Amino acid sequence: MSVKPVAHAHEGAKFLEEKAHYHFHDERLWDVRQKRDQEMHILPEWQELRQKASEIKEHTLANLPEYLEQFEKNAKANGIYVHWARDGEEHNRLVNEILQSHHAKSLIKSKSMITDECEMREYLEPQGITVTETDLGERIQQLDNQLPSHVVLPAVQKLTGDVAALFAKHYNTDPNDNDPHSLTEAQRQAARPIILNADAGMTGGNFLVAETGSFVVCTNEGNADLSANVTGLHIATLGIERIVPRMSDLGVFIRLLSRSALGSPITQYTTHFRKPKKNGEMHIILVDNGRSDRLAMDDFWSSLKCIRCGACMNTCPVYRRSGGQSYGAVYSGPIGAIIDPTFNKTKYSTLPFASTLNGSCTNVCPVKINIHEQIFKWRRVLVEEHEIPFVKKEIMKMAGRLLASPRLYRAAIKGTNVALSTMPRFILYNYLNPWGKHRELPHPVKQTFNSWYRQNRLKSAQKQSEKGGQVQ
Amino acid sequence: MKVGLFIPCYMDAFFPNAAIATLELLEKLGQDVYYPLDQTCCGQPMSNSGCNKDAHDTEELFIKNFSDCDVIVGPTGSCVHHIRDNFDAIEQTSEVKHVRQNTYELVEFIHDILKVREFPWAEFPHKVGIHNSCATLRSLRTASMSELGEPFFSKPKTLLSAVKGISFAQPQRPDECCGFGGTYSVTEEAISAQMGLDKVRDHHDAGADYIVSADTSCMMHQQGCAERNNVNIKFIHIAEILNGARS
């Protein structure tokens, strides 16, 4: 079956047409970006922290097998079961096996991008297992059968009215009551019995600590603590890149994470899990799912430093205007544009082109990933591997020929009254046709600079040259 | 010092007045300016689209035109960024390295190399909003970047502050990209145009009569957005103001 590339431009344009959504989305995320800036100004050591975080991650990634083994050894000594999953399928199978061995039919789960990456819900539900998200935003997305729109704010693209309509459909609430408090209460009433009667709990995790064999989960709603503690069975899924060597490294990341994400000094709940509850069981699944392959990519390995704060999304002017759903992927925004193609080069081939390469993402990244440079690099890789449309490639080939020949180029923009019908074509041929859909074309001019120069300056320049001047 | 004048393709075609102002300004500042007639483009459109191999011949032509100059000056941030940071479709000979290391954007050339701070002939009695293109801001670093929290500096503002009668408008999001992005402006035209409109409105709401920039590509895009949506604001290249344009 042929895979179709994600239609980011089309989906983004659709999002823009919903003006109220677009304005709210843009303002909300810009507000978060400004709060992040304020926090940055409070800490004079901000750049030092970023540098430190980047170095710790680089060191860890360079020694990944050793740290993972150290983690496994210590976690096992703490009484935790440690599992390894090569890919999403293996991960899902492991989860299913653990649940089956406990005859567990209902799973409550706190937000975790990696289980979405593995498509775990889709796998478990046909096996007769209900999965309920405990994070409010993630639950909203689950009810609407959508991927998270943002790594930290999964339902940020929705207005309260959208949530009211959704809850009315699922919870029989008043569709016209879009008061956030009553919506939250409706969710609480609907979710509480499910949570309290669950058979098993699952969380993601933000950091694995090699020296202690423990892991850390950061949330603002406390929902991970619910998921982990309501039942005696706690399954945690983390990507192998989540590891840090020592407990003392955590200070660097915890200080950066929520400040970068939401502009708050720390997450409301920062929970350390070290061993199972009394008479309980704790399982950790360490997932690769393409991460080792990415680690071997010279140009793209450093994307594994990502701590999933979403700062690059908040600052990205394209993301703020196109919305997370337009990326058609678990990971959206600038970080998605460099991670997603490592999962599927064809499907996500459009995402590195969904960027103006303005570089703001790189500047806000708390672990100093050169995001916009990797976006630029991906374009080259995708072109070389034939993952961009033939027409686009041909146009660039023609542009390259035209611009390499002064004679052809001058012919294309010939004349003192530059014809606009010809003009836009000279740079990119028919590629510029969409220009005028939402913009006026540049104004015609009497004469190009080159022609003006020939007419007004060439003779004097030549005379000077004949007199032995340097000017040619 | 032999100063090569690089006028990029779209500027040659659409903004000859800004190009003439650049030439005249450099001459007023006592420079020996040489304009190679056979120049076209720096290769950025192909390179930014990922089609780097298609930029090969254009880059070669660029070197042929400019390799005998001591410095090359272009009134355009994004092209200079391309030459300095991504101009690698051709073999990196010493000639190529010389060109790449000695190509300057106009503002940084005047500010850092010539170190000129006075433009006694210049007077611009208007309120302007400065648009730093992302390439000049984040790649050439001609101004401080809000994301890094560094102490404020702005080379274009330092130069413009010497112009009689000028005043500045402060937009809400000074560093936000205007959405041009080269081929991005056509591959994602709806989002690109929305970004452009938001940008010009931000300047307009801050009270700017003009948007001034060292990058005509951003202005070409913004002007198109402003005109389509009847945002009453004018555009001018920084070289024109520094060269003494009154309006």
Side-chain angles (χ1 to χ4, degrees):
Chain A
M1 207 177 73
S2 68
V3 180
K4 268 175 83 178
V6 172
H8 180 269
H10 178 74
E11 294 301 318
K14 261 179 27 194
F15 184 69
L16 279 181
E17 279 167 18
E18 299 168 43
K19 292 230 178 305
H21 284 82
Y22 151 61
H23 283 297
F24 172 79
H25 192 258
D26 175 49
E27 292 292 337
R28 170 88 179 86
L29 294 174
W30 181 252
D31 180 56
V32 173
R33 155 75 208 277
Q34 283 182 303
K35 290 195 171 111
R36 173 236 171 243
D37 289 359
Q38 285 162 15
E39 287 296 323
M40 167 186 67
H41 287 299
I42 293 171
L43 298 186
E45 69 272 32
W46 185 258
Q47 297 307 331
E48 236 174 282
L49 278 174
R50 287 178 76 217
Q51 184 60 31
K52 190 90 190 148
S54 171
E55 284 168 11
I56 294 170
K57 280 284 182 185
E58 282 190 23
H59 165 82
T60 316
L61 289 167
N63 300 280
L64 195 56
E66 290 80 6
Y67 284 120
L68 286 170
E69 279 166 23
Q70 189 189 356
F71 174 83
E72 182 183 33
K73 189 170 142 262
N74 291 330
K76 278 182 173 166
N78 296 340
I80 304 174
Y81 293 97
V82 180
H83 311 266
W84 301 86
R86 206 177 303 273
D87 53 26
E89 211 184 313
E90 196 172 353
H91 166 264
N92 299 341
R93 213 168 44 235
L94 279 164
V95 175
N96 193 32
E97 277 167 23
I98 299 166
L99 294 175
Q100 301 296 349
S101 69
H102 286 77
H103 309 290
K105 290 285 171 203
S106 64
L107 178 70
I108 49 168
K109 171 183 165 292
S110 79
K111 195 171 106 43
S112 129
M113 299 301 291
I114 196 162
T115 52
D116 287 330
E117 186 189 310
C118 297
E119 301 182 345
M120 185 189 77
R121 283 199 316 243
E122 293 84 334
Y123 178 88
L124 290 181
E125 275 159 4
Q127 319 277 340
I129 293 163
T130 60
V131 180
T132 306
E133 297 288 344
T134 57
D135 175 277
L136 175 60
E138 195 74 29
R139 179 63 178 164
I140 291 168
Q141 291 303 94
Q142 183 187 10
L143 290 175
D144 216 5
N145 202 18
Q146 282 182 331
L147 286 171
S149 184
H150 182 286
V151 292
V152 176
L153 306 156
V156 69
Q157 86 286 13
K158 286 192 169 73
L159 301 175
T160 47
D162 303 325
V163 180
L166 188 68
F167 282 5
K169 199 169 127 197
H170 293 274
Y171 298 153
N172 264 332
T173 48
D174 177 2
N176 298 313
D177 181 3
N178 60 6
D179 171 51
H181 293 286
S182 48
L183 290 171
T184 313
E185 190 55 30
Q187 164 63 14
R188 190 195 302 269
Q189 294 306 330
R192 200 174 272 173
I194 303 175
I195 294 172
L196 293 176
N197 294 311
D199 300 323
M202 183 167 202
T203 67
N206 298 74
F207 305 99
L208 297 157
V209 185
E211 74 171 354
T212 55
S214 60
F215 63 101
V216 179
V217 187
C218 304
T219 69
N220 282 313
E221 297 172 20
N223 58 303
D225 303 86
L226 273 179
S227 306
N229 289 306
V230 167
T231 78
L233 176 60
H234 178 189
I235 307 170
T237 292
L238 291 97
I240 52 172
E241 84 286 9
R242 292 287 181 159
I243 198 154
V244 296
R246 298 158 307 185
M247 199 64 138
S248 58
D249 298 324
L250 281 177
V252 175
F253 294 101
I254 301 287
R255 294 185 78 197
L256 284 168
L257 180 64
S258 195
R259 286 186 168 94
S260 297
L262 299 169
S264 63
I266 194 168
T267 42
Q268 299 291 322
Y269 300 84
T270 301
T271 310
H272 294 247
F273 292 100
R274 191 161 189 165
K275 58 182 179 188
K277 289 166 68 166
K278 219 179 216 171
N279 301 322
E281 256 182 45
M282 185 179 275
H283 295 258
I284 293 181
I285 309 176
L286 299 170
V287 182
D288 186 314
N289 201 31
R291 284 160 176 74
S292 299
D293 294 340
R294 203 181 304 149
L295 191 56
M297 295 173 162
D298 281 346
D299 295 314
F300 307 118
W301 68 269
S302 72
S303 63
L304 286 164
K305 293 194 291 184
C306 176
I307 58 171
R308 307 278 189 262
C309 67
C312 60
M313 302 174 177
N314 303 340
T315 203
C316 177
V318 174
Y319 174 87
R320 268 189 270 112
R321 285 169 182 84
S322 59
Q325 297 295 307
S326 62
Y327 291 79
V330 172
Y331 303 103
S332 51
I335 190 72
I338 61 174
I339 289 180
D340 296 329
T342 68
F343 293 115
N344 189 325
K345 280 197 194 113
T346 309
K347 185 172 179 191
Y348 302 117
S349 58
T350 47
L351 298 186
F353 295 90
S355 165
T356 61
L357 302 175
N358 64 75
S360 186
C361 46
T362 299
N363 276 353
V364 296
C365 180
V367 289
K368 290 191 150 185
I369 301 171
N370 57 338
I371 305 176
H372 77 294
E373 288 171 9
Q374 290 190 37
I375 292 175
F376 178 79
K377 188 77 196 182
W378 260 119
R379 294 182 181 185
R380 288 187 177 182
V381 172
L382 292 166
V383 166
E384 274 158 28
E385 302 193 4
H386 308 287
E387 296 290 358
I388 75 159
F390 175 76
V391 175
K392 192 172 173 180
K393 258 178 122 159
E394 285 305 299
I395 287 163
M396 283 303 146
K397 205 181 276 176
M398 286 194 281
R401 274 194 215 129
L402 181 72
L403 292 168
S405 160
R407 194 178 53 81
L408 289 176
Y409 165 77
R410 292 283 151 224
I413 62 166
K414 196 170 182 279
T416 50
N417 211 345
V418 179
L420 273 169
S421 56
T422 317
M423 273 314 305
R425 293 172 64 85
F426 92 90
I427 309 178
L428 300 162
Y429 283 74
N430 53 356
Y431 217 58
L432 264 182
N433 280 348
W435 180 276
K437 214 167 149 191
H438 292 97
R439 276 166 298 219
E440 292 303 309
L441 289 158
H443 300 277
V445 294
K446 285 206 182 93
Q447 152 177 77
T448 65
F449 175 73
N450 193 285
S451 144
W452 175 89
Y453 189 90
R454 284 172 197 268
Q455 197 177 325
N456 295 284
R457 293 301 186 93
L458 207 52
K459 274 185 195 145
S460 60
Q462 273 165 351
K463 257 184 223 156
Q464 250 181 299
S465 174
E466 280 159 21
K467 274 189 262 164
Q470 291 173 315
V471 184
Q472 290 178 22
Chain B
M1 182 164 66
K2 183 174 176 181
V3 177
L5 176 64
F6 165 46
I7 300 299
C9 47
Y10 61 87
M11 200 169 175
D12 178 30
F14 294 125
F15 302 96
N17 289 342
I20 294 167
T22 304
L23 172 66
E24 289 178 352
L25 176 64
L26 287 170
E27 288 171 343
K28 273 186 191 147
L29 298 175
Q31 298 307 301
D32 175 15
V33 185
Y34 159 61
Y35 172 74
L37 288 166
D38 275 350
Q39 60 178 291
T40 58
C41 163
C42 64
Q44 187 180 206
M46 288 75 79
S47 176
N48 267 16
S49 325
C51 301
N52 201 38
K53 284 186 185 134
D54 295 324
H56 180 277
D57 295 355
T58 305
E59 289 186 359
E60 210 162 55
L61 176 68
F62 190 91
I63 297 296
K64 213 171 109 191
N65 278 311
F66 288 104
S67 60
D68 60 346
C69 297
D70 298 309
V71 299
I72 297 105
V73 178
T76 160
S78 78
C79 306
V80 172
H81 159 56
H82 171 72
I83 294 158
R84 203 176 284 171
D85 300 320
N86 296 317
F87 193 92
D88 59 3
I90 51 174
E91 199 194 327
Q92 301 296 298
T93 61
S94 57
E95 239 182 351
V96 174
K97 282 183 192 150
H98 165 78
V99 167
R100 290 183 65 178
Q101 283 161 6
N102 292 285
T103 298
Y104 296 94
E105 183 269 318
L106 179 68
V107 169
E108 63 177 359
F109 181 67
I110 295 173
H111 186 280
D112 298 348
I113 307 300
L114 301 181
K115 300 191 196 308
V116 173
R117 295 290 183 273
E118 285 172 3
F119 307 89
W121 52 79
E123 187 176 353
F124 199 71
H126 307 281
K127 196 167 195 175
V128 302
I130 297 176
H131 174 69
N132 293 309
S133 78
C134 297
T136 54
L137 181 68
R138 298 199 185 84
S139 299
L140 305 181
R141 309 219 44 189
T142 58
S144 52
M145 300 176 277
S146 59
E147 303 98 354
L148 294 184
E150 52 197 357
F152 177 83
F153 72 94
S154 167
K155 294 175 189 177
K157 193 170 182 181
T158 301
L159 299 187
L160 286 170
S161 298
V163 174
K164 274 191 289 290
I166 202 165
S167 60
F168 299 94
Q170 185 58 31
Q172 296 285 319
R173 303 181 185 184
D175 291 354
E176 177 122 319
C177 173
C178 72
F180 174 64
T183 52
Y184 179 80
S185 63
V186 286
T187 53
E188 297 215 332
E189 47 83 26
I191 305 165
S192 167
Q194 183 67 53
M195 287 166 72
L197 178 59
D198 290 352
K199 189 79 202 181
V200 294
R201 277 196 181 135
D202 193 5
H203 279 282
H204 178 263
D205 294 348
D209 306 315
Y210 282 85
I211 292 177
V212 55
S213 179
D215 230 317
T216 34
S217 53
C218 300
M219 287 203 293
M220 173 171 76
H221 160 72
Q222 289 178 32
Q223 187 167 5
C225 297
E227 285 175 6
R228 175 64 58 91
N229 294 282
N230 300 313
V231 180
N232 185 21
I233 199 159
K234 287 171 275 192
F235 294 83
I236 191 163
H237 192 279
I238 190 167
E240 295 176 79
I241 297 181
L242 297 179
N243 188 44
R246 294 289 191 274
S247 62

